[in-house]
């Protein structure tokens, strides 16, 4: 077995990748049929922070890509939550004559949203 480096940088990089990025070490997998975590130690080698056989202190291209995808999916999930909360607020709002007047009045400064202007602009 290769001795661990004296510098804690490798372990810190691996912890950041795991905790903030949600990236599992490459030797871990999931078997949905058995519903259990599997270990394939052939994937544990390489020059990256999660490797047990090297002093790798840089993320691999696959890990950088997975980290970027993780952040993208997290941002997408957060935006979906925000949109869904807005939909729930709109669903709970009662439609009244006063609210309708307010909406129509607020759209009056946007002539391109009016039906008659759109039809004239498209056909005339």
């Amino acid at each position: 077995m290769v001795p661990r480096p004296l510098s804690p940088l490798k372990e810190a990089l691996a912890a950041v990748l795991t905790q903030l990025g949600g990236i599992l070490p490459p030797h871990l997998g999931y078997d949905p049929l058995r519903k259990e975590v599997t270990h394939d130690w052939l994937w544990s080698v390489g020059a990256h922070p999660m490797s047990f056989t090297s002093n790798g202190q840089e993320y691999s291209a696959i890990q950088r890509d997975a980290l970027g995808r993780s952040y993208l999916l997290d941002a997408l999930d957060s935006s979906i939550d925000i949109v869904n909360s807005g939909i729930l607020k709109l669903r709970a709002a009662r439609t009244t004559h006063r609210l309708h007047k307010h909406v129509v009045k607020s759209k009056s400064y946007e002539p391109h949203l009016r039906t008659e202007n759109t039809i004239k602009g498209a056909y005339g």
Side-chain angles (χ1 to χ4, degrees):
M1 178 162 268
V2 176
R4 304 304 271 176
L6 296 175
S7 170
L9 180 61
K10 177 182 173 188
E11 282 73 19
L13 289 172
V16 166
L17 198 61
T18 302
Q19 298 299 317
L20 296 181
I23 310 298
L24 291 176
H27 67 277
L28 292 179
Y30 182 73
D31 185 0
L33 296 175
R34 294 185 195 166
K35 297 182 180 179
E36 63 183 20
V37 175
T38 59
H39 299 271
D40 187 357
W41 292 100
L42 292 176
W43 289 100
S44 68
V45 298
H48 54 81
M50 293 184 153
S51 172
F52 289 106
T53 59
S54 76
N55 295 333
Q57 296 183 352
E58 292 183 13
Y59 295 135
S60 68
I62 293 172
Q63 290 169 334
R64 286 191 303 269
D65 183 48
L67 185 62
R69 289 174 192 234
S70 176
Y71 280 129
L72 178 69
L73 290 175
D74 187 47
L76 184 62
D77 191 41
S78 297
S79 65
I80 289 170
D81 288 341
I82 291 169
V83 168
N84 285 339
S85 69
I87 289 171
L88 289 176
K89 288 179 182 178
L90 288 172
R91 186 179 290 168
R94 299 252 182 230
T95 305
T96 62
H97 183 67
R98 182 177 172 204
L99 179 63
H100 178 70
K101 285 172 100 176
H102 174 71
V103 170
V104 170
K105 183 179 177 185
S106 66
K107 284 190 175 183
S108 65
Y109 68 90
E110 299 174 356
H112 63 281
L113 292 178
R114 294 175 139 173
T115 307
E116 63 269 11
N117 287 343
T118 305
I119 293 171
K120 284 180 186 176
Y123 297 109

